[in-house]
């Protein structure tokens, strides 16, 4: 092993030491392929000019020509470089060999001298230690340099083998490779947003099919078609076609209007213009404008021929730079900004997004540039340190980002920044239209592309998985290739043989999905990965199923009975005649004609009336001042609101406000809450003030002034230190970002985070004296609220965000000790902080005897608990962790599990337990009386939450979901089937208890004992399910529906409740803190949980009762005219001739009876106060007695009696067949319907009076125009009047008397409570 060459001092970029290019003079032994190792790499690095000049990758020339790469030396020629080199012959030979190869390890499995020197992301073998600290830090740098492949033959082979293993794991059928800025070899769908249901070709077939799938419409279609047959024709064809056409036109017109509106909204989104970067070839650009310099583009062959005449090394260097487009030659491309409509965007396009813009497709973020001053509020211009740490390994593990010390960048390095701004690498997005969460999400550009000039984007290749609907998951890889052509080569894996060179992992943090909104000031460059129907938004949006109310099914079954009655009646009439044939009429033709005549028994107006009624109910709900903000999104099921028997509710944001407030903190020996928080303020004031110097900062090891000014005992000093530590931990361990906005000239600071718990904790730390003043993805600054001075400043090295599976979040930070200087690499304090649920943190923190007890106490108080811990890491421990973590982060398959294993191995054990926090989630307004009222109404309430068992139990008790004294039976952590049945047996014997079950146990039951479990659970008054996933919530709703056949209502406020809401018979969404996704997906949207009681008990009751009465009346209206027709047919010797023809038939169903019958939708049997006072009235509705077979047949008998009396007496008192009989019977028929409506009304409304009187006057006024059907002279006689009155009285008095007798003998419940 050759001796190490002495390290040279790092000079300033423009210093005289660099003019001689002395940094190029390297021992050729360093290039010896047999003796090279990573130690030799450190010798190379010892001559590196300055870490600030490193790019995303640096090849051999970057090390040899560091001085030339600087701005001050750009004018020097390459010819000067090769002079005065030692071992010139060996160098030439070596370079000749490499020039002949001209191979690159960029994924095309080529190797050569253009390969980068060091693998930025590959794990490193153990390095030798140097005597000097500075030299050692340079020796251990990993993030910027790579070894050429010819220097590490042994390791290359090993890594190549590893690469083959990786290729086997990466299934090509499940991933896509995208060349940025280029045309893709694979064809992807266009970026079209389409929510339309129909096209011009499919509209008629689909709508007609949907319409005629209803029994009503198909029946009347057949009747109308029968009129095309002369033998079956009765009256005008329009008599039968017009009503059907009217219904179809109304329904199809509504569908067409809705679809046109959807297309209009789609077209607005598809026509939205975006700025797209157009990458032109350098040659194309030169034809448009002269290049910046007169350059000679030489082929590799020409260069090799010129080696004898020019300095060989300088030519190779120039060739490299020209080939890669990064030297004094052309860049890889030239950029033009063009505007494209959203529909024209394609996979691979680079879009430029700014604040407020909708993201048009699923993108991977390449670069973020923040305008100067956008973040500059507090510490953006503060001293970032001398940059002495910028070459340490701490940099490359900080989210794989660029140097955290952004001071002292050379003009070259800053040339890649967007003009007029600084390259921050971070942006915020709003995802409320995607996942329902209103909080901003931080998104990061990949470190590989953040510092890359935009012209070099064409050398980027992105690998992503197949389109997926998981909006919170993404695993991919981004690679920097040597040339644009390499990005198009699907067999190319990287720029070195190890398969990982110049590549970086991509996660959800590097993406922005379609329909999210850019929320921050940053200009974001992003490449489109998924378009149109393959976006997360499109895949996760399931078309909501068309919901049909229970009343519709009941009416459908009744109409089938009516149809059978029609057929039976027709056959009976023909049979009574003896199936004889008359002139031109065969017996089966007679049956068909009778079917046409009796078609009014199945009233086509029924659907029209019911649909109009539903619209009225929806209007009442949306205009009710008692439930402001209510929106009806599905107008087909308001009657189901009155039939609910099971209510499935979310907890957070539904029963609770989702407004968090820090209420309690426990530090092991003492607990602080309410007024005792003043003591915490005192501890914080003395713990973070009074530093030895103005520039000194607080670190966890700071021992001064913990309890200064307090006459403190030892115990009190210990408590003060504990309080300071836990407050500091809470102020640092979070994902909260302070944002500054100006409104009306005032500067407002607000906090943004994905969890309201974290915002509550950060607000609490501010209230006790420690404010989060500044935060980006690299560092955090904390200020004292008392003095306004910076007291803590940390560099963020790693963040481990909260996940529903992990139930914890952590952060690794490095503390600054002085305000104006960066921390020393070896001496700085590195700490790992973590907070999470007690269920997972209990095994992570060190052994203690108080954690379980205190978390249980807080949970009983209804507080959401978080356990906080910390661990100090040595420099070596952190290095070991970062290396392993980085390796795991590069894996495409099994990435998350691998990363978690590394975290568990290095960090998550033996944490120092600092304390437990208790955050209160306040109950919604009037939740207690609302739940009690619903329970009294006979509704079984289930609470499904993702929260822990103890918190759910506490909320269930405090909200009165569980009655006082009610036994709560808990089933938790059930992992085996053995004793699962025992729990069910107990519950069968105690059906008045409340079941409290966790998600793990619930999954076991749903998997193995679904029917047994649901059969027991539905008998219980209350069930509380904790730790439920959105899928489990939906499964429970479906199970209850299928098992009980009862109506199920689900209510929630977040994106995680959407699946449950859509699975329910009635879905109710609350517009809450978690966004509008639940309310948009729901059938009914409200603003408060307490509004649900009025929605169900009042509007649900009215909707069901009114529709039931309306449906029965419309059926009665059709039946009575059919009975009249039957009587007439019998009188004329069973001939199928029409009694009322043409206008009389149409007018009876429309002008003369429609308005009074429809006015029944304004009826109400009780007022609102009585409905709320006696919720037990609601329980009767669930039995469906208002519209049952019993009530149906009662109306059938009434119709038969009235129709028989009207037609029979008319024929007896006038004539069997003639205009006088028609005038009397038709007039009595119309008046009978008007008076029957009046008899059925419970509570009069002015509109009802107007409809009845107005319709009567319209009929009287139209009689002179009915001379075609009536004997007008007879209408003016007393004989007509007394006949009408007599027949009408006989028809009406008995049914009305029967109703009065029944009401007296067996009054309905609402009459009892009204005292009538």
């Amino acid at each position: 092993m050759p001796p190490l060459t002495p390290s040279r001092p790092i000079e300033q970029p423009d210093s005289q030491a660099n003019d001689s290019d002395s940094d190029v003079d390297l021992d050729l032994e360093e290039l010896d392929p047999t003796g090279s190792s990573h130690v030799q790499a450190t010798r190379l690095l010892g001559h590196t000019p300055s870490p600030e000049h490193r790019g995303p990758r640096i090849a051999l020339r970057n090390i040899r020509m560091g001085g030339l790469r600087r701005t001050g030396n750009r004018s020097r020629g390459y010819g000067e470089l090769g002079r005065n080199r030692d071992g010139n012959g060996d160098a030439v030979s070596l370079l000749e060999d490499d020039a002949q190869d001209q191979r690159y390890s960029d994924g095309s499995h080529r190797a050569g001298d253009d390969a980068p020197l060091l693998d930025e992301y590959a794990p490193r073998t153990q390095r030798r230690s140097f005597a000097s600290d500075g030299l050692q830090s340079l020796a251990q740098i990993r993030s910027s340099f790579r070894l050429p492949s010819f220097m590490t033959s042994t390791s290359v082979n090993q890594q190549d083998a590893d690469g083959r293993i990786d290729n086997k794991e990466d299934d090509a059928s499940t991933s896509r490779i995208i060349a940025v800025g280029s045309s893709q070899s694979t064809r992807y769908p266009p970026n079209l947003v389409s929510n339309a249901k129909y096209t011009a070709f499919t509209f008629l077939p689909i709508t007609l099919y949907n319409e005629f799938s209803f029994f009503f419409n198909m029946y009347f279609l057949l009747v109308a078609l029968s009129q095309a047959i002369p033998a079956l024709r009765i009256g005008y064809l329009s008599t039968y076609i017009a009503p059907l056409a009217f219904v179809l036109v109304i329904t199809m017109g509504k569908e067409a209007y809705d679809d046109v509106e959807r297309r209009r909204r789609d077209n607005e989104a598809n026509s939205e213009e975006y700025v797209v970067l157009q990458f032109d070839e350098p040659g194309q650009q030169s034809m448009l404008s002269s290049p910046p310099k007169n350059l000679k583009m030489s082929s590799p062959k020409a260069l090799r021929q010129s080696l004898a005449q020019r300095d060989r090394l300088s030519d190779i260097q120039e060739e490299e730079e020209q080939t890669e487009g990064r030297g004094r030659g052309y860049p890889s491309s030239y950029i033009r900004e063009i505007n494209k409509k959203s529909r024209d965007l394609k996979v691979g396009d680079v879009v430029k997004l700014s604040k407020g813009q909708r993201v048009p497709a699923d993108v991977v973020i390449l670069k973020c540039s923040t305008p100067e001053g956008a973040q500059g509020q507090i510490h953006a211009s503060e001293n970032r340190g001398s940059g002495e740490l910028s070459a340490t390994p701490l940099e490359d593990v900080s989210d794989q980002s660029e140097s955290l010390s952004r001071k002292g960048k050379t003009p070259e390095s800053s040339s890649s920044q967007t003009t007029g701004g600084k390259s921050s690498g971070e942006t915020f997005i709003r995802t409320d239209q995607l996942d329902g969460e209103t909080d901003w999400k931080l998104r990061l550009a990949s470190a590989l592309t953040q510092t890359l000039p935009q012209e070099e984007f064409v050398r980027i290749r992105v690998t992503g998985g197949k389109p997926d609907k998981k909006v919170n998951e993404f695993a991919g890889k981004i690679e920097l290739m040597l040339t644009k052509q390499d990005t198009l080569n699907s067999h190319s894996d990287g720029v070195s043989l190890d398969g990982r060179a110049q590549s970086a992992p991509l996660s959800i943090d590097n993406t922005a999905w379609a329909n999210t909104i850019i929320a921050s000031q940053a200009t974001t460059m992003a490449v489109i990965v998924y378009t149109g129907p393959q976006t997360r938004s499109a895949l996760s949006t399931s078309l909501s199923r068309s919901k049909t109310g229970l009343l519709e099914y009941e009416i459908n079954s009744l109409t089938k009975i009516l149809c059978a009655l029609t057929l039976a009646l027709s056959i009976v009439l023909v049979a009574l005649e003896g199936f004889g044939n008359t002139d031109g009429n065969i017996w089966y033709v007679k049956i068909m004609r009778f079917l046409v005549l009796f078609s009014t028994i199945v009233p086509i107006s029924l659907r029209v009336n019911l649909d109009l009624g539903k619209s009225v109910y929806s209007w009442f709900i949306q205009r009710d001042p008692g439930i402001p903000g209510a929106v009806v999104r599905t107008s087909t099921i308001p009657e189901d609101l009155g039939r609910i028997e099971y209510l499935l509710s979310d907890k957070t944001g539904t029963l609770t406000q989702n407004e968090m407030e820090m209420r309690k903190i426990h530090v092991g020996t003492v607990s602080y809450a309410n007024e005792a928080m003043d003591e915490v303020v005192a501890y914080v004031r003395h713990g973070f003030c009074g530093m030895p110097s103005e520039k000194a900062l607080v670190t966890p090891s700071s021992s001064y002034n913990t309890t200064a000014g307090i006459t403190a005992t030892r115990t009190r000093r210990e408590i003060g230190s504990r309080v300071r530590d836990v407050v500091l931990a809470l102020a640092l361990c979070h994902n909260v970002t302070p944002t500054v906005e100006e409104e009306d000239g005032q500067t407002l600071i607000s906090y943004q985070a994905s969890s309201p718990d974290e915002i509550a904790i950060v607000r609490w730390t501010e209230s006790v004296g420690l404010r989060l003043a500044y935060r980006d993805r690299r560092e955090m600054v904390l200020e004292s609220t008392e003095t306004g001075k910076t007291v803590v400043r940390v560099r963020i090295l790693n963040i481990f965000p909260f996940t529903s599976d992990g139930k914890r979040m952590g952060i690794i930070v490095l503390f600054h000790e002085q305000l104006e200087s960066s921390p020393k690499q070896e001496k700085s304090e590195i700490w790992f902080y973590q907070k999470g649920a007690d269920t997972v943190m209990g095994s992570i923190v060190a052994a203690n005897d108080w954690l379980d007890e205190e978390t249980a106490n807080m949970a009983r108080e209804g507080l959401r608990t978080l356990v906080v811990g910390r661990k100090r890491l040595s420099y070596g421990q952190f290095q070991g962790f970062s290396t392993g973590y980085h390796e795991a982060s590069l894996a495409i398959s099994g990435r998350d599990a691998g990363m978690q294993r590394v975290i568990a191995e290095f960090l998550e054990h033996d944490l120092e337990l600092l304390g437990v926090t208790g955050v209160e989630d306040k109950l919604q307004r009037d939740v207690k009386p609302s739940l009690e009222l619903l329970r009294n109404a006979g509704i079984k309430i289930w609470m499904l939450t993702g929260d822990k068992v103890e918190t759910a139990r506490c909320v269930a008790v405090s909200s009165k979901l569980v009655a006082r004294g009610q036994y709560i039976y808990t089933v938790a952590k059930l992992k085996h089937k053995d004793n699962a049945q025992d729990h069910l047996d107990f519950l069968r014997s105690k059906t008045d208890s409340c079941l409290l079950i966790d998600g793990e146990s619930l999954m076991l039951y749903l998997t193995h004992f679904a029917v047994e479990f649901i059969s027991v659970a539905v008998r219980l008054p209350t069930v509380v399910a904790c730790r439920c996933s959105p899928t489990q919530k939906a499964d429970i709703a479906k199970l209850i529906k299928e098992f009980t056949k009862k109506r199920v209502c689900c209510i929630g406020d977040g994106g995680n409740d959407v699946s449950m809401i859509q699975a329910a018979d009635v879905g109710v969404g609350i517009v809450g803190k978690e966004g509008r996704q639940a309310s948009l997906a729901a059938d009914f949207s409200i603003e408060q949980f307490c509004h649900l009681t009025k929605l169900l008990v009042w509007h649900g009751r009215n909707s069901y009762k009114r529709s039931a009465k309306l449906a029965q009346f419309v059926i009665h209206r059709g039946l009575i005219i059919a009975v009249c027709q039957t009587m007439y047919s019998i009188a004329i010797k069973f001939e199928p001739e029409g009694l009322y023809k043409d206008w009389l038939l149409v007018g009876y169903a429309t002008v003369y009876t429609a308005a009074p019958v429809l006015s029944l939708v304004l009826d109400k049997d009780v007022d609102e106060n009585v409905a709320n006072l006696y919720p037990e009235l609601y329980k009767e509705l669930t039995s469906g007695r208002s519209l049952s077979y019993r009530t149906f047949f009662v109306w059938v008998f009434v119709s038969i009696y009235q129709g028989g009396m009207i037609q029979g007496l008319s024929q007896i008192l006038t004539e069997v067949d003639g205009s006088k009989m028609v005038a009397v019977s038709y007039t009595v028929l119309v008046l009978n319907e008007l008076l029957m409506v009046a008899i059925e009304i419970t509570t009069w409304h002015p509109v009802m009076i107007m409809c009845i009187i107005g319709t009567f006057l319209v009929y009287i006024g139209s009689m002179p125009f009915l001379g075609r059907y009536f004997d007008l002279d007879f209408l003016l006689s007393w004989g007509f009047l007394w006949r009408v009155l007599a027949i009408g009285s006989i028809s009406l008095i008995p049914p009305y008397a029967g109703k009065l007798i029944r009401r007296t003998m067996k009054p309905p419940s609402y009459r009892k409570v009204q005292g009538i």
Side-chain angles (χ1 to χ4, degrees), residues 239-260:
T239 304
Y240 299 91
I241 294 293
L244 178 65
F246 176 74
V247 172
L248 292 180
V249 166
I250 293 295
T251 308
M252 294 171 67
K254 182 177 180 297
E255 284 292 311
Y257 176 78
D258 290 345
D259 210 50
V260 167

Side-chain angles (χ1 to χ4, degrees), residues 106-110 167 177 461 479 481 485-494:
D106 59 354
S108 54
H109 305 291
R110 299 174 292 178
N167 289 339
I177 297 176
R461 189 172 71 184
E479 299 168 282
M481 314 306 290
Q485 287 68 32
D486 292 330
T487 63
L488 303 174
N489 184 358
S490 61
H491 301 292
S492 182
D493 289 336

Side-chain angles (χ1 to χ4, degrees), residues 673-894:
N674 303 323
E675 292 80 11
M677 288 295 182
D678 294 338
E679 199 168 340
V680 176
V681 174
Y683 283 130
V684 171
R685 180 187 305 119
H686 293 286
F688 291 93
C689 297
M691 277 74 75
S693 67
E694 285 291 323
K695 296 181 180 180
L697 298 174
V698 175
T699 68
S701 299
S702 303
S703 58
Y704 48 81
N705 257 18
T706 301
T707 53
I710 302 177
T711 309
T713 62
R714 179 180 177 183
T715 303
R716 191 165 177 79
R717 284 196 300 271
E718 289 177 356
I719 293 174
S721 179
R722 279 172 175 264
V723 170
R724 188 196 71 165
D725 290 342
V726 74
V727 171
L728 179 60
L730 292 173
L732 294 175
C733 186
H734 53 72
N735 266 317
V736 179
T737 302
T739 58
V740 180
E741 295 181 359
E742 286 195 6
E743 289 185 9
D744 302 328
Q746 293 182 341
T747 301
L748 302 176
I749 299 178
S750 60
Y751 295 117
Q752 293 293 339
S754 58
S755 168
D757 296 65
E758 291 199 323
I759 295 178
I761 290 174
V762 170
R763 282 180 176 154
W764 177 81
T765 62
E766 181 179 358
S767 69
V768 297
L770 204 57
R771 178 195 298 127
L772 175 63
Y774 173 79
R775 193 240 176 88
D776 58 22
R777 66 173 172 146
R778 301 174 186 84
E779 71 173 10
M780 263 189 285
V781 176
L782 305 179
E783 285 182 349
S784 167
T785 55
E786 184 176 358
T787 63
K789 294 182 180 179
T790 299
V791 292
V792 177
R793 183 176 168 202
V794 298
R795 177 183 300 173
I796 301 171
L797 303 180
N798 282 89
I799 291 182
F800 314 104
F802 179 88
T803 63
S804 56
D805 294 328
K807 301 182 179 66
R808 59 192 181 276
M809 74 84 56
I811 188 170
I812 301 178
V813 295
L814 181 144
F815 282 86
H816 292 240
E817 296 181 358
Q818 296 293 322
L819 188 62
E820 295 184 355
S821 64
S822 293
K824 300 295 182 182
Q825 52 207 24
E826 294 284 351
K827 301 176 182 178
S828 302
E829 296 183 33
I830 302 175
W831 287 84
F832 169 60
Y833 290 100
Q834 191 169 50
K835 68 171 187 243
D838 60 301
T839 52
V840 293
M841 292 295 290
S843 59
I844 294 174
V845 297
N848 61 87
D849 57 358
W850 59 272
L851 177 60
D852 292 340
E853 181 182 353
E854 288 304 323
T855 52
N857 290 339
M858 287 190 186
R860 276 190 287 274
E861 296 175 28
L863 302 177
R864 298 158 66 96
T865 57
L866 284 174
V867 179
V868 188
R870 69 175 183 177
K871 181 178 188 177
R872 184 166 184 174
L873 303 177
S874 67
Y875 186 76
Q877 287 174 325
F878 176 72
Q879 285 298 313
F881 160 75
S882 60
T883 300
Y885 190 72
H886 209 72
E887 285 180 18
S889 70
L890 283 170
I892 290 293
S893 61

Side-chain angles (χ1 to χ4, degrees), residues 1128 1131 1139 1207-1225 1269 1271 1274 1283:
Y1128 174 70
L1139 170 62
Q1207 186 60 29
L1209 292 175
S1210 296
Q1211 292 174 172
I1212 292 172
L1213 297 178
T1214 54
E1215 56 191 356
V1216 173
D1217 187 10
S1219 57
K1220 292 182 179 179
M1221 181 273 296
V1222 172
V1224 172
S1225 68
Y1269 314 103
D1271 183 342
F1274 179 66
R1283 286 179 176 86

Side-chain angles (χ1 to χ4, degrees), residues 195 265 356-359 362 429-441 471-472 513-518 535-542 633 1053-1056 1058 1071-1081:
N195 293 303
R265 290 191 294 268
Q357 274 195 297
R358 178 184 71 90
V359 179
D362 288 358
I429 62 172
R430 292 203 316 268
T431 62
D432 51 334
Q433 294 304 315
L434 186 67
D435 59 11
E437 296 180 0
T438 55
D439 299 294
W440 293 7
K441 308 289 190 306
V471 296
N472 294 317
W513 301 141
N515 293 329
T516 57
I517 306 293
I518 303 294
T535 59
R536 294 296 203 272
S537 175
L539 290 173
S540 60
T541 303
S542 57
R633 304 191 191 279
D1053 73 317
N1056 60 332
V1058 169
V1071 182
K1073 296 275 182 188
E1074 295 184 32
R1076 298 183 58 87
Q1077 191 175 12
S1079 69
L1080 292 173

